[in-house]
Amino acid sequence: MNPNLGRSVALILAFNLGTSLWATGENISAGTSNTKLTAPLPPEPTVELPTIQVTKHRVHEIDVTLTKLDKLIAREKKKVKSTELDKALNNPKLARSAAIFGGNSAEHLSAVAASRVSLLETERAVLEAMKRPATLQGLAMLEAELEQLRTTRRNLDNATR
């Protein structure tokens, strides 16, 4: 094989590549003149989507609230199972006789704690959903649901009202 043959093929390829890259402005404008013959497309109507700002500050506030909520859930889960001391102090017979003083039985207190845990976990799920709301109306609905859950949780002990 002739080593000069490989060099000459490489030079021819480089020359062809170089001339194709050095196209003159006349060639480019001639290519675009053909596209001017077609009718321009009418502009499509723009669709504006509602804007929701998900800022670091708002998400950070939700994360802080979630941390506090996790602590409350852990505290309430401990109250679901009543201790021996709680069973002794809140004996059902004693709680019925002292009902005028506001006493509740251990079973009632553990049922209230279980309900509170359920409400807190639902509240946590709503807060997680509030991090990424789809629309402004969805965010408003989540805030209303959150407020309703908090009101229900506050009024859980006062079932007689």
Side-chain angles (χ1 to χ4, degrees):
M1 284 222 202
N2 189 358
N4 291 334
L5 180 65
R7 288 184 192 155
S8 62
V9 171
L11 284 172
I12 292 171
L13 287 174
F15 180 72
N16 285 337
L17 181 64
T19 56
S20 65
L21 292 177
W22 290 0
T24 61
E26 297 168 1
N27 292 341
I28 294 172
S29 65
T32 58
S33 65
N34 292 338
T35 58
K36 291 183 181 177
L37 298 177
T38 61
L41 295 175
E44 294 182 15
T46 59
V47 177
E48 286 190 32
L49 298 175
T51 57
I52 296 177
Q53 291 183 349
V54 180
T55 61
K56 183 179 178 182
H57 179 70
R58 188 174 72 82
V59 172
H60 179 70
E61 287 178 358
I62 291 174
D63 285 338
V64 168
T65 307
L66 284 174
T67 305
K68 290 178 184 178
L69 214 56
D70 287 338
K71 288 180 183 178
L72 277 173
I73 289 171
R75 192 176 305 142
E76 287 297 323
K77 280 186 178 179
K78 290 179 185 176
K79 294 179 184 178
V80 169
K81 185 177 179 184
S82 56
T83 62
E84 291 299 321
L85 179 64
D86 191 29
K87 288 178 184 176
L89 292 176
N90 296 318
N91 190 348
K93 293 179 184 176
L94 181 63
R96 284 190 194 122
S97 62
I100 59 172
F101 299 117
N104 291 318
S105 67
E107 293 84 23
H108 175 74
L109 293 176
S110 68
V112 168
S115 298
R116 190 174 286 121
V117 167
S118 173
L119 288 170
L120 285 170
E121 288 174 347
T122 307
E123 186 176 334
R124 187 182 196 300
V126 170
L127 281 171
E128 283 290 336
M130 284 178 67
K131 282 185 177 181
R132 301 174 243 42
T135 62
L136 291 174
Q137 292 173 342
L139 181 63
M141 286 176 47
L142 288 172
E143 287 174 350
E145 183 179 354
L146 184 66
E147 188 59 37
Q148 181 65 31
L149 284 169
R150 287 179 178 166
T151 303
T152 303
R153 186 170 42 102
R154 278 193 301 265
N155 295 333
L156 197 58
D157 287 330
N158 303 327
T160 57
R161 287 185 187 179

